[in-house]
Amino acid sequence: MKKSILAIATIAALSFNVAAANVAGDVLDYYQPERTAVQNGAVIVDLTGQGSEAIAQKLATMPRGEAEQAVIEIAINAVENNRKVAPEYVAIMERQAEIRGVPVHMLFAAIAQADWDINKGFVNAGDTASLQKAAESMNGCTTLAFAETGIVGLNNDLNIGFLQEGDTSVIKTDDTIFLATDGGHFQGMGKHTAAVLNFMGEPSGASATVDTQNVITTDAAFAAITSSANVEEAFNKLKDYTTHVSLNFTVADDSGDYGSIEMTTNGTRIVRGEGGIAHANHTAEMRAEFLSHTPLRQANEKFVDTFAREDAGNTFISYAKERDVNGMKYILQQKPINITKYSSDFVTVESVIFDTVNGCAYVAGDNPLFSEYTQVCF
């Protein structure tokens, strides 16, 4: 009997090792995927006590792409608006621009370009196949906030190639903990308020143009939120502005307030649910319009489970016994919110949780099914 048990255990161990040998890019089992993490946890860059100069110097070393002319012109309009909502952050970006020897609007444009590129797929989609291809390029897929506990979380979903583009780094300063993307402020938290992003794009509102005067860039919106004392203050900073494409910032603060700040050219608003909120790549109006002519299952196939992910998150919130960090880790590992390589290259590439009450961030540099979370606290 003992020998049989040992044999079974050995076979099980060997099976696990074979499964874990899978790598990013392999097609995996939908419900029980196994592969090796590309990055386990995150790299922490601790700039505490070093001041704004150190932050500018660090951001100036980060790679960024080129921006097209339309985005550059929008960014020119955004500079002074950015300064109104996040003056201290803009000062850091201006110093970074000096270091790099470029106008500051070029830095804002480089940050804005990524969402602009994703949005172009929707603008140019002329048929179902093009629409589905655009949907598979969505950025920042599912965000959640818990009421009362001050916790927000995100599964960031991108093309699987993102995992090969470098490690996920987290910058810690005296007042902020944030992921730096293209040399700017991205998902992050301040001493009281945190924010995570999901892309909505053209299906939920038209993109800005060179004539849009009240535009701000994504990084400035993050900086405005994380420098706020609470969710209400953050919303009041942003309510008169729009982002260059339709974006949602799901937020929470250490008093227990929460919500999703949807920013489109149709206006900026805050949406709240009961006990918390889950948000995916659409507004309620986009969902209603699309489902008016397309069955739900088919609609989810076209938009990479955008409606299913939101429904799954809100269902969890409605029954979750513990809306804490462990609860957020749990839901971010569940299908369909967690996306692994199965039928497309659109997958969960990192996971982020911010606990504003305890002042801690948890960052997995890969899909949290395969990567541990690195904890960093004020």
Side-chain angles (χ1 to χ4, degrees), residues 86-103:
E88 293 181 2
Y89 173 73
V90 172
I92 291 171
M93 293 297 283
E94 287 176 326
R95 175 59 184 136
Q96 184 190 169
E98 289 178 4
I99 296 167
R100 294 182 65 92
V102 298

Side-chain angles (χ1 to χ4, degrees), residues 103-166:
V104 71
H105 70 262
M106 295 299 292
L107 300 184
F108 291 132
I111 292 167
Q113 185 66 44
D115 287 324
W116 190 265
D117 286 339
I118 295 167
N119 197 57
K120 283 194 294 188
F122 292 100
V123 174
N124 299 328
D127 53 38
T128 299
S130 298
L131 183 65
Q132 189 158 357
K133 184 177 180 180
E136 291 179 0
S137 299
M138 280 181 171
N139 181 13
C141 276
T142 310
T143 58
L144 301 99
F146 292 160
E148 299 179 358
T149 57
I151 294 170
V152 293
L154 156 87
N155 271 356
N156 191 23
D157 304 329
L158 290 165
N159 187 284
I160 204 163
F162 175 88
L163 291 170
Q164 311 301 332
E165 293 179 4

Side-chain angles (χ1 to χ4, degrees), residues 26-328:
D26 290 345
V27 176
L28 305 175
D29 178 87
Y30 182 81
Y31 289 108
Q32 294 181 314
E34 293 283 354
R35 67 165 171 81
T36 302
V38 174
Q39 179 189 359
N40 195 25
V43 176
I44 305 302
V45 180
D46 191 347
L47 301 178
T48 304
Q50 299 182 47
S52 60
E53 177 66 18
I55 302 171
Q57 292 283 351
K58 176 59 183 178
L59 294 178
T61 67
M62 294 187 168
R64 67 212 71 209
E66 298 293 325
E68 61 187 75
Q69 189 58 36
V71 179
I72 292 171
E73 293 178 12
I74 290 171
I76 291 172
N77 288 342
V79 172
E80 291 308 313
N81 294 330
N82 286 353
R83 195 187 313 280
K84 291 174 184 176
V85 301
E88 293 181 2
Y89 173 73
V90 172
I92 291 171
M93 293 297 283
E94 287 176 326
R95 175 59 184 136
Q96 184 190 169
E98 289 178 4
I99 296 167
R100 294 182 65 92
V102 298
V104 71
H105 70 262
M106 295 299 292
L107 300 184
F108 291 132
I111 292 167
Q113 185 66 44
D115 287 324
W116 190 265
D117 286 339
I118 295 167
N119 197 57
K120 283 194 294 188
F122 292 100
V123 174
N124 299 328
D127 53 38
T128 299
S130 298
L131 183 65
Q132 189 158 357
K133 184 177 180 180
E136 291 179 0
S137 299
M138 280 181 171
N139 181 13
C141 276
T142 310
T143 58
L144 301 99
F146 292 160
E148 299 179 358
T149 57
I151 294 170
V152 293
L154 156 87
N155 271 356
N156 191 23
D157 304 329
L158 290 165
N159 187 284
I160 204 163
F162 175 88
L163 291 170
Q164 311 301 332
E165 293 179 4
D167 287 341
T168 296
S169 294
V170 181
I171 294 180
K172 177 185 175 183
T173 75
D174 294 319
D175 302 310
T176 55
I177 299 171
F178 66 96
L179 278 65
T181 301
D182 295 316
H185 192 316
F186 205 46
Q187 328 279 359
M189 67 182 296
K191 286 296 184 68
H192 301 286
T193 307
V196 289
L197 168 76
N198 58 269
F199 176 87
M200 296 190 298
E202 202 74 10
S204 294
S207 55
T209 70
V210 295
D211 297 320
T212 305
Q213 296 302 307
N214 66 333
V215 66
I216 62 175
T217 54
T218 314
D219 54 329
F222 270 118
I225 296 167
T226 59
S227 62
S228 296
N230 51 55
V231 166
E232 199 63 32
E233 180 182 311
F235 174 67
N236 286 331
K237 288 180 183 178
L238 301 178
K239 65 182 181 182
D240 295 324
Y241 297 95
T242 185
T243 41
H244 60 302
V245 299
S246 297
L247 299 171
N248 170 71
F249 299 85
T250 294
V251 295
D253 66 33
D254 56 1
S255 71
D257 197 8
Y258 67 97
S260 286
I261 301 175
E262 298 177 342
M263 300 189 71
T264 77
T265 50
N266 299 324
T268 292
R269 67 188 182 189
I270 187 164
V271 181
R272 291 179 171 90
E274 184 67 34
I277 189 167
H279 203 290
N281 310 112
H282 57 272
T283 59
E285 292 82 0
M286 179 272 194
R287 175 182 177 127
E289 192 281 328
F290 202 80
L291 295 184
S292 70
H293 55 72
T294 305
L296 181 58
R297 185 180 180 86
Q298 185 179 344
N300 276 312
E301 289 175 355
K302 284 184 170 62
F303 278 93
V304 198
D305 283 337
T306 183
F307 309 119
R309 285 183 278 111
E310 185 175 84
D311 289 345
N314 283 319
T315 298
F316 174 78
I317 287 169
S318 72
Y319 73 75
K321 300 294 189 297
E322 296 177 350
R323 299 185 187 127
D324 56 10
V325 170
N326 285 333
M328 187 65 76

